[in-house]
Amino acid sequence: MQSLTGIADEAFLNAQRLLANYGVVGAKAQESIRAAYALSVGVGMDFESSLLQIAKAAAGSTSSLSRYGIVLGDGVKSGEKFDAVLAQINSRFGAAAQAAMDDTITKTKALAQEWGDFKELLGKELEPTFRRIINYFSIFTYNISKTFYQQFISNLLDITMNIINDRNERIIILSKKTIR
């Protein structure tokens, strides 16, 4: 559905979970998700909000759909209300949803979703390699720092010893001059 609608696959998975909470599963869930998409396109509502309207209808509350022109007659039996809601939504907005699947905006959104999925997949595949590289550079910089620090301390000790030795030599020379 993502490649047709430009809506992330995760949104459709969340939709299935939500509908399952209302006892709508399988083919009826797929039909409900298509109706939610049609409603969202038809009235300019985001997919998640239209899905909540469908979920409310599955629970028996259809009155909020009347503002979108979905009105059930008195002759509809309570067990058939949800099917009637889906039929009306598809009848009223199905063609618009079908047309939207082929427009440039939807195709661009679908491409953006696919690109995001590709980056996610690429990240998952490259993550072990990046971890090894980062670990290598951590060890490398630690060893360089350790070596530099050891060399620095060694050089500092050498310089200090040279200064002390030089000073001792000067003291000895001065001592010899003063003794004479």
Side-chain angles (χ1 to χ4, degrees), residues 118-128 130:
F118 171 73
K119 291 189 304 185
E120 188 178 315
L121 178 65
L122 187 63
K124 283 181 185 175
E125 293 298 319
L126 293 178
E127 190 249 347
F130 283 141

Side-chain angles (χ1 to χ4, degrees), residues 152-169:
F152 174 76
I153 294 297
S154 176
N155 287 344
L156 185 62
L157 286 174
D158 286 346
I159 291 170
T160 304
M161 290 308 293
N162 286 339
I163 290 172
I164 290 172
N165 288 337
D166 187 48
R167 191 161 202 200
N168 284 342
E169 284 180 23

Side-chain angles (χ1 to χ4, degrees), residues 4-179:
L4 295 174
T5 63
I7 298 172
D9 284 335
E10 291 82 8
F12 292 111
L13 293 173
N14 290 336
Q16 287 177 335
R17 282 193 273 287
L18 176 68
L19 290 168
N21 289 336
Y22 290 92
V24 181
V25 294
K28 187 58 74 178
Q30 295 305 314
E31 183 183 352
S32 300
I33 290 169
R34 283 192 295 275
Y37 177 69
L39 181 63
S40 72
V41 169
V43 300
M45 176 189 311
D46 66 276
F47 176 73
E48 287 79 14
S49 296
S50 65
L51 182 66
L52 287 174
Q53 293 295 323
I54 299 293
K56 286 179 187 178
S61 176
T62 60
S63 60
S64 62
L65 289 169
S66 64
R67 71 180 88 158
Y68 309 113
I70 308 301
V71 181
L72 300 179
D74 293 333
V76 179
K77 296 177 184 173
S78 64
E80 298 171 354
K81 280 186 177 182
F82 187 58
D83 288 335
V85 164
L86 296 180
Q88 277 195 38
I89 290 171
N90 286 325
S91 171
R92 189 174 189 100
F93 304 116
Q98 193 64 38
M101 287 182 191
D102 200 35
D103 72 6
T104 305
I105 293 171
T106 301
K107 294 294 183 191
T108 304
K109 287 178 184 177
L111 178 61
Q113 290 296 333
E114 296 294 335
W115 179 249
D117 288 350
F118 171 73
K119 291 189 304 185
E120 188 178 315
L121 178 65
L122 187 63
K124 283 181 185 175
E125 293 298 319
L126 293 178
E127 190 249 347
T129 302
F130 283 141
R131 280 191 185 276
R132 286 193 298 271
I133 290 170
I134 290 168
N135 189 38
Y136 169 78
F137 277 113
S138 292
I139 292 169
F140 177 75
T141 55
Y142 171 78
N143 288 329
I144 292 265
S145 297
K146 184 177 164 187
T147 302
F148 174 77
Y149 180 73
Q150 288 173 342
Q151 188 64 44
F152 174 76
I153 294 297
S154 176
N155 287 344
L156 185 62
L157 286 174
D158 286 346
I159 291 170
T160 304
M161 290 308 293
N162 286 339
I163 290 172
I164 290 172
N165 288 337
D166 187 48
R167 191 161 202 200
N168 284 342
E169 284 180 23
R170 286 184 186 178
I171 291 174
I172 290 173
I173 291 173
L174 281 175
S175 299
K176 286 183 182 177
K177 284 184 179 179
T178 47
I179 294 181

